[in-house]
Amino acid sequence: MSKRDYYEVLGVSRTASDQEIKSAYRRLAVRYHPDKNPNDASAEEKFKEAAEAYSILADAEQRRRYDRFGHAGVSGTGAPSWGAPGFGGIEDILGDLFGFGDVFGGSRSGPRRSTAQRGADLRYDLEISLEEAYRGMTAQLRIPRLETCDTCKGNGAAPGTKPDTCQTCGGTGQVRYQQGFFSVARTCHACRGAGRVIKTPCSGCSGSGRIEREKQMEVRIPAGVETGSRLRVQGEGESGAQGGPSGDLYVVIHLGEHDQFERQGSNLYSSAPITFAQAALGAELAIKTLDGQEKLKIPMGTQTGTVFRLKAMGMPVLGGRGRGDLFVSVTVVTPTTLTREQRKLLEQLAHVEDQDLEDKGLVDKVRDIFG
Ligand SMILES: [Zn+2]
Ligand SMILES: [Zn+2]
């Protein structure tokens, strides 16, 4: 890919003054700064492109070479490679220009980019029933988390006072040491990298800028979730420190045990007791589902342990279409008590069965002889 012309990148003419170049760059830097465009790769590219163009055109000698020879005149000399020693990174270009706190919403003595921290992600473990997972639900959550302090609006200083710029590091949060050719940056010990010192801490938050508070919120739990499902609620984690963005909230689902249904993926499993007569004669059963009841016809001569499948009576598929199935295993239950009539009928049945077995036995013997 060919490099864009630096003047074109900044949107200025070739005869632009230093001041015009500076303000053009400032406009682009504010617009495409990574802090304002998180996770936006194209904005980051534009930001870097603008920074590179500015680094060349703001330098009189580099600009002259660029004007004569184009990109070839400045390649390897002026074009910054990020993080290279001596260049100092994007922050320094911007910092030299106008100071970070100024641009990104803070006060002039406020925090710089390097101190803004994203808030922590939070995890909330939510136990729900199988029925709730089946239908989906709205969960009311109460989440203790760190939020920006109202009293000081997050800057940590008592009302009527302001944090002071750290004298040791001049507000950068870092102290640079020259070690031979390289310049090494270390976190400032006086302010612990915050770039500012609070003389009178806010009483609401003890100067931290954040307080723990219980946040109530509603979270929609979609149908079909299962144990281990994670739902991300963007920006509902802890507030960031020093103007950083909030973290995310993750709701982790746990399903309680159910006394009738077992679940595997989107399928459900249950069992149904049947009588000997139902097993022998066939029957229409009323099977419990998570929705109510469903009819199931079992054929004559059903054996205990036979599994029947009720299509689409299982769990909804999360984020998809359709449902799993319900598998019902039937168990023939031997009665432990009998009414007089049942006893009489069963005795008759037993008698018939005896005859039946004897007859069969006889036939078999005959077969054995002549077969
Ligand atoms: Zn406070
Ligand atoms: Zn400091």
Side-chain angles (χ1 to χ4, degrees):
M1 232 179 79
S2 63
K3 260 174 130 69
R4 282 216 293 159
D5 176 61
Y6 286 146
Y7 292 100
E8 193 192 311
V9 167
L10 295 182
V12 294
S13 73
R14 298 190 83 81
T15 56
S17 68
D18 286 353
Q19 191 50 50
E20 283 176 288
I21 287 171
K22 207 177 211 181
S23 48
Y25 172 54
R26 178 188 167 125
R27 239 185 349 263
L28 292 170
V30 169
R31 183 154 149 217
Y32 294 119
H33 193 277
D35 280 359
K36 291 207 164 176
N37 304 275
N39 305 321
D40 184 345
S42 81
E44 197 187 335
E45 268 318 299
K46 288 207 171 81
F47 182 79
K48 284 183 180 171
E49 196 183 32
E52 188 184 314
Y54 176 72
S55 77
I56 298 297
L57 298 185
D59 181 308
E61 173 59 25
Q62 298 276 8
R63 186 177 175 186
R64 224 174 0 255
R65 286 168 64 92
Y66 179 73
D67 286 346
R68 278 190 76 185
F69 306 110
H71 288 295
V74 292
S75 69
T77 53
S81 70
W82 306 105
F87 182 69
I90 297 165
E91 288 90 331
D92 282 13
I93 302 179
L94 288 179
D96 293 346
L97 258 183
F98 36 78
F100 262 78
D102 200 17
V103 179
F104 298 111
S107 61
R108 190 163 287 275
S109 60
R112 288 170 58 105
R113 180 175 174 268
S114 56
T115 60
Q117 288 172 349
R118 184 176 177 275
D121 290 336
L122 293 177
R123 175 193 169 116
Y124 187 96
D125 291 283
L126 180 68
E127 179 156 339
I128 64 174
S129 68
L130 190 63
E131 282 86 351
E132 286 169 329
Y134 180 80
R135 289 186 191 97
M137 65 178 296
T138 301
Q140 310 281 340
L141 307 186
R142 298 163 75 91
I143 295 160
R145 64 178 187 183
L146 289 174
E147 291 185 2
T148 302
C149 173
D150 292 331
T151 313
C152 63
K153 303 281 179 274
N155 72 16
T161 72
K162 273 198 274 186
D164 295 318
T165 305
C166 174
Q167 297 299 312
T168 308
C169 61
T172 63
Q174 291 190 327
V175 181
R176 285 183 183 275
Y177 300 88
Q178 200 69 31
Q179 284 194 348
F181 182 70
F182 300 98
S183 122
V184 179
R186 293 226 179 89
T187 301
C188 171
H189 63 88
C191 62
R192 290 198 208 90
R196 60 215 181 101
V197 179
I198 296 163
K199 285 209 185 94
T200 323
C202 163
S203 57
C205 61
S206 312
S208 72
R210 295 187 296 174
I211 51 169
E212 189 170 318
R213 194 179 285 160
E214 196 177 72
K215 161 90 177 185
Q216 291 193 32
M217 70 177 91
E218 287 188 349
V219 175
R220 180 74 202 149
I221 310 293
V225 290
E226 55 191 312
T227 293
S229 293
R230 292 202 323 167
L231 307 168
R232 177 162 169 257
V233 189
Q234 203 172 359
E236 290 294 354
E238 293 194 336
S239 296
Q242 324 293 350
S246 293
D248 298 330
L249 169 70
Y250 288 92
V251 180
V252 181
I253 301 294
H254 299 267
L255 245 60
E257 292 268 309
H258 198 279
D259 55 1
Q260 284 178 31
F261 297 100
E262 268 184 58
R263 175 183 187 180
Q264 266 179 38
S266 58
N267 291 331
L268 290 174
Y269 299 82
S270 70
S271 59
I274 56 172
T275 65
F276 170 71
Q278 286 175 317
L281 301 171
E284 189 176 88
L285 308 177
I287 300 295
K288 247 190 118 167
T289 68
L290 278 175
D291 246 353
Q293 279 191 349
E294 196 65 23
K295 281 178 185 162
L296 170 66
K297 274 196 174 141
I298 59 168
M300 201 176 94
T302 294
Q303 302 295 313
T304 195
T306 305
V307 176
F308 295 91
R309 176 178 173 199
L310 285 97
K311 272 199 142 187
M313 287 291 146
M315 297 294 286
V317 177
L318 179 63
R321 286 182 177 188
R323 282 167 190 278
D325 301 324
L326 169 61
F327 293 90
V328 182
S329 159
V330 296
T331 308
V332 178
V333 177
T334 308
T336 49
T337 56
L338 294 171
T339 64
R340 191 193 285 182
E341 199 190 354
Q342 283 171 331
R343 172 174 282 274
K344 209 170 128 192
L345 286 169
L346 281 172
E347 280 170 354
Q348 274 180 30
L349 178 64
H351 183 68
V352 175
E353 282 174 343
D354 279 349
Q355 291 280 314
D356 201 29
L357 285 176
E358 271 171 29
D359 290 350
K360 263 191 189 154
L362 212 81
V363 171
D364 286 348
K365 269 175 202 156
V366 174
R367 254 199 210 132
D368 283 347
I369 295 165
F370 296 101

